[in-house]
Amino acid sequence: QYSDILALVAGLAIIVMGLHFLGVFRVTMLYREKRAQVENPVGLWGAYAMGLAFAFGWTPCIGPILATILAVAASEATVAKGAGLLAVYSLGLGIPFMLAAFAIEPFAAFLTRFRRHLAQMERVMGGLLVLTGIAFLTGFVSQASFWLLEAFPVLGRIG
């Protein structure tokens, strides 16, 4: 019922974020951060505290997706199907972290070399966000989703 209003709000919010990344203006609230200065966070309790902080920071990102996966898993015909969905979600979430842990030194070296391109990458992402926001405002996202369902009917049976 409210999909048009939600598309408008989402489109405007995405465009604002894109313009922020492009440097047209800065949303100063996005630059705020809170840090706890810990002398030596090593050990069992330090690992727990770091995991807790990491989970707290990721909750806004993971929460809605996990809630959706849990809802879909709960509505499956069998427990095995629901557990399978959760297993695939867990693999998709965990494998990148495992790869990062095993390849931390080459990854750190890559980040050091890539750091000089971050400003350019931020502008590219800003442009893509503006285009995505325009796609929401013009209804292109809805049209593209209908086209995808018509072109690939199997997508309608996923989930």
Coordinates of all heavy atoms in Angstrom, one line a residue, residues 5 7-8 15 19 53 56 64-65 74 76 80-82 84-85 87 89-91 94 97 106 121 129 144 150 152:
I5 N 5.5 5.6 -1.6 CA 6.0 6.5 -0.6 C 7.4 6.0 -0.1 O 8.4 6.7 0.0 CB 5.1 6.7 0.6 CG1 3.8 7.4 0.1 CG2 5.8 7.5 1.7 CD1 2.7 7.5 1.2
A7 N 9.4 4.0 -1.8 CA 10.4 4.1 -2.9 C 10.9 5.6 -2.9 O 12.0 5.8 -3.2 CB 9.7 3.7 -4.2
L8 N 10.0 6.5 -2.7 CA 10.4 7.9 -2.8 C 11.3 8.3 -1.6 O 12.4 8.9 -1.9 CB 9.1 8.8 -2.6 CG 9.4 10.3 -2.5 CD1 9.9 10.9 -3.9 CD2 8.1 11.1 -2.1
I15 N 20.1 9.0 -2.7 CA 20.7 10.2 -3.4 C 21.5 11.0 -2.4 O 22.6 11.5 -2.7 CB 19.6 11.0 -4.2 CG1 19.1 10.1 -5.3 CG2 20.2 12.3 -4.6 CD1 17.9 10.7 -6.1
L19 N 25.4 11.8 -2.8 CA 25.9 13.2 -2.9 C 27.0 13.4 -1.8 O 28.0 14.1 -2.0 CB 24.8 14.2 -2.8 CG 23.9 14.2 -4.0 CD1 22.7 15.2 -3.8 CD2 24.6 14.5 -5.3
A53 N 31.8 -5.9 20.8 CA 31.8 -4.6 20.1 C 31.5 -4.8 18.6 O 30.8 -4.0 18.0 CB 33.1 -3.9 20.3
F56 N 27.9 -5.6 18.1 CA 27.1 -4.4 18.3 C 27.1 -3.5 17.1 O 26.1 -2.9 16.6 CB 27.5 -3.6 19.5 CG 26.8 -2.4 19.8 CD1 25.5 -2.5 20.4 CD2 27.3 -1.1 19.6 CE1 24.8 -1.3 20.6 CE2 26.6 0.0 19.8 CZ 25.3 -0.1 20.4
P64 N 18.4 -7.0 9.9 CA 17.3 -7.1 9.0 C 17.4 -8.4 8.1 O 16.4 -9.1 7.9 CB 17.3 -5.8 8.2 CG 18.0 -4.9 9.0 CD 19.0 -5.6 9.8
I65 N 18.6 -8.6 7.6 CA 18.8 -9.8 6.8 C 18.6 -11.1 7.6 O 17.9 -12.0 7.1 CB 20.2 -9.8 6.2 CG1 20.4 -8.5 5.4 CG2 20.4 -11.0 5.3 CD1 19.5 -8.3 4.2
A74 N 11.6 -20.3 9.1 CA 10.5 -20.8 10.0 C 9.3 -21.1 9.2 O 8.5 -22.0 9.6 CB 10.2 -19.7 11.0
E76 N 9.4 -22.6 6.2 CA 9.6 -23.8 5.3 C 8.8 -25.0 5.8 O 8.5 -25.1 7.0 CB 11.1 -24.1 5.3 CG 12.0 -23.1 4.5 CD 11.6 -23.1 3.1 OE1 11.3 -24.1 2.5 OE2 11.7 -22.0 2.5
A80 N 14.6 -29.4 8.0 CA 15.8 -29.5 7.2 C 15.9 -28.4 6.2 O 17.0 -27.9 6.0 CB 15.8 -30.9 6.5
K81 N 14.8 -28.0 5.6 CA 14.9 -26.9 4.6 C 15.2 -25.6 5.3 O 16.0 -24.8 4.8 CB 13.6 -26.8 3.8 CG 13.4 -27.7 2.7 CD 12.1 -27.4 1.9 CE 12.0 -28.2 0.7 NZ 10.8 -27.9 -0.1
G82 N 14.6 -25.3 6.4 CA 14.9 -24.1 7.2 C 16.4 -24.1 7.7 O 17.1 -23.1 7.6
G84 N 18.8 -25.7 6.3 CA 19.6 -25.5 5.1 C 19.8 -24.1 4.8 O 20.9 -23.6 4.4
L85 N 18.7 -23.3 4.8 CA 18.8 -21.9 4.5 C 19.7 -21.2 5.5 O 20.5 -20.3 5.2 CB 17.4 -21.2 4.6 CG 16.4 -21.5 3.4 CD1 15.0 -20.9 3.7 CD2 17.0 -20.9 2.2
A87 N 22.1 -22.5 7.2 CA 23.5 -23.0 7.0 C 24.1 -22.2 5.8 O 25.3 -21.8 5.9 CB 23.5 -24.5 6.7
Y89 N 23.2 -19.2 4.8 CA 23.4 -17.9 5.3 C 24.7 -17.8 6.1 O 25.5 -16.9 6.0 CB 22.2 -17.4 6.1 CG 22.4 -16.1 6.8 CD1 22.4 -14.9 6.1 CD2 22.7 -16.1 8.2 CE1 22.6 -13.7 6.8 CE2 22.9 -14.9 8.9 CZ 22.8 -13.7 8.2 OH 23.0 -12.5 8.8
S90 N 24.9 -18.8 7.0 CA 26.0 -18.8 7.9 C 27.3 -18.9 7.1 O 28.3 -18.3 7.4 CB 25.9 -19.9 8.9 OG 24.8 -19.7 9.7
L91 N 27.3 -19.8 6.1 CA 28.5 -19.9 5.3 C 28.8 -18.6 4.5 O 30.0 -18.2 4.5 CB 28.3 -21.0 4.2 CG 28.4 -22.5 4.8 CD1 28.0 -23.5 3.7 CD2 29.8 -22.8 5.3
G94 N 30.3 -16.3 7.2 CA 31.5 -16.8 7.8 C 32.7 -16.9 6.9 O 33.8 -16.7 7.3
F97 N 35.1 -14.0 6.5 CA 35.9 -13.8 7.7 C 37.0 -14.8 7.8 O 38.1 -14.5 8.2 CB 35.0 -13.8 8.9 CG 34.2 -12.6 9.0 CD1 32.8 -12.6 8.8 CD2 34.8 -11.3 9.4 CE1 32.1 -11.5 8.9 CE2 34.0 -10.2 9.5 CZ 32.7 -10.3 9.3
P106 N 48.6 -10.8 3.4 CA 48.5 -10.3 2.0 C 47.4 -9.2 1.9 O 47.5 -8.3 1.1 CB 48.2 -11.5 1.1 CG 48.5 -12.7 2.0 CD 48.5 -12.2 3.4
M121 N 37.5 5.7 -5.3 CA 36.5 4.7 -5.1 C 35.2 5.2 -4.4 O 34.1 4.9 -4.7 CB 37.1 3.5 -4.3 CG 36.2 2.3 -4.2 SD 35.7 1.6 -5.8 CE 37.3 1.1 -6.4
L129 N 25.5 5.3 -6.1 CA 24.3 5.5 -5.2 C 23.3 6.5 -5.8 O 22.1 6.3 -5.7 CB 24.9 6.0 -3.9 CG 25.4 4.9 -2.9 CD1 26.1 5.6 -1.7 CD2 24.4 4.0 -2.5
A144 N 12.4 -3.2 -13.3 CA 13.5 -4.1 -13.5 C 13.1 -5.4 -12.8 O 13.4 -6.5 -13.3 CB 14.8 -3.6 -13.0
E150 N 9.7 -11.9 -15.2 CA 9.2 -12.4 -16.5 C 10.3 -13.2 -17.3 O 10.0 -14.2 -17.9 CB 8.6 -11.3 -17.3 CG 7.4 -10.7 -16.8 CD 6.9 -9.5 -17.5 OE1 7.5 -9.1 -18.5 OE2 5.9 -8.9 -17.1
F152 N 13.1 -14.5 -16.1 CA 13.6 -15.7 -15.3 C 12.6 -16.1 -14.3 O 12.7 -15.8 -13.1 CB 14.9 -15.3 -14.7 CG 16.0 -14.8 -15.6 CD1 16.2 -13.4 -15.7 CD2 16.7 -15.7 -16.4 CE1 17.1 -12.9 -16.6 CE2 17.6 -15.2 -17.3 CZ 17.9 -13.8 -17.4

